[in-house]
Amino acid sequence: MLVPFWAKDLKIGSKLVNARAETVHEKPSFRTAFKSRRALIAVDAFYEWLETDQISEKTGKPLKQPFALRPADGHTTLALAGLYEVWTDKSKPEGDPDRLVPTYTIITTTATDSVGRIHDRMPMAITRDNWDEWLDPRNNDVDHITQLMAPPLDESLEIYAVSTAVNSVRNNGPHLLEPLPAS
C-alpha cells in the first residue's frame, strides 16, 4: 500500500494497494512518485485468485482458488514495476524512528491471455536492461518511463494452482509455492 507524502493519515493506503499503468502518471496519489520515486519489487512469484463455482457456506460468496505465477525457468526473479513514498507521521516527535513510514505500490495492467483466464489484472515488470533507467530519479519523461514497463510474457510464466494456505498472512514459507497435486 502506498501512502502519498501529503496524506493526513495511513488509512488512504488501503485504497492504494496497486496503481493502474494506464493512469499512474495522472492520478494525484501516484503521479509525483511515478516521476521520481520508482522502485523494483523483486519477487520469485506472484499470486492471483480464480473465482470457482463452489459457494462458501460461511459467506455465501464464490470460493476462490489461488494460483502461483512464476518464471517458467524456476530461477529468474521478476522485477515488478513499483512506486514508493516515505510518509511522515507528524504525531510522532522528530527523531522517532517510527515517524518515517516507507510505503510502496505495484503497478498493474490488463492481464495477458494466459493470466486473464484467472484474473483481469497483473503486475507490470521491468526487464533487466531497463532497471537503471527505471530507477533513475532524474528520468522524469512520462512517455519514456511508461515505455519501460511491460507485463511478463505468457510463455515466460509457469501458472499452477496452489494451496489456499496462501490466503492467510500468518502463513509463510516455500511450501506456499508448491503445486497442488493433480486430481
Side-chain angles (χ1 to χ4, degrees), residues 14-162:
S14 65
K15 297 177 184 174
L16 304 174
V17 175
N18 292 322
R20 291 179 164 266
E22 302 85 353
T23 58
V24 68
H25 63 286
E26 301 168 340
K27 298 288 182 181
S29 299
F30 303 119
R31 69 178 169 220
T32 302
F34 187 69
K35 285 187 176 179
S36 62
R37 288 185 292 282
R38 294 176 300 276
L40 295 172
I41 314 299
V43 300
D44 294 328
F46 61 95
Y47 298 103
E48 295 294 356
W49 284 259
L50 174 67
E51 200 171 273
T52 69
D53 294 332
Q54 296 177 328
I55 303 297
S56 167
E57 292 177 19
K58 194 175 188 180
T59 66
K61 295 180 180 179
L63 294 172
K64 293 183 179 183
Q65 172 60 55
F67 283 78
L69 297 90
R70 68 176 176 189
D73 67 11
H75 303 291
T76 305
T77 297
L78 290 170
L80 303 182
L83 307 174
Y84 73 92
E85 290 278 10
V86 179
W87 181 74
T88 302
D89 185 347
K90 294 181 174 84
S91 71
K92 302 211 186 296
E94 292 280 342
D96 184 328
D98 294 330
R99 182 174 164 92
L100 299 178
V101 181
T103 65
Y104 75 97
T105 190
I106 293 172
I107 300 173
T108 65
T109 190
T110 303
T112 57
D113 289 346
S114 295
V115 179
R117 293 185 209 128
I118 299 167
H119 195 273
D120 63 335
R121 304 286 299 169
M122 69 184 288
M124 291 293 257
I126 306 296
T127 62
R128 184 176 299 275
D129 293 344
N130 292 328
W131 288 1
D132 289 340
E133 281 185 89
W134 177 258
L135 294 173
D136 185 350
R138 297 165 299 178
N139 180 5
N140 57 18
D141 178 338
V142 170
D143 292 332
H144 179 70
I145 298 165
T146 301
Q147 291 174 13
L148 299 175
M149 298 184 293
L153 299 173
D154 282 347
E155 59 272 9
S156 71
L157 292 175
E158 176 184 16
I159 303 170
Y160 56 92
V162 294

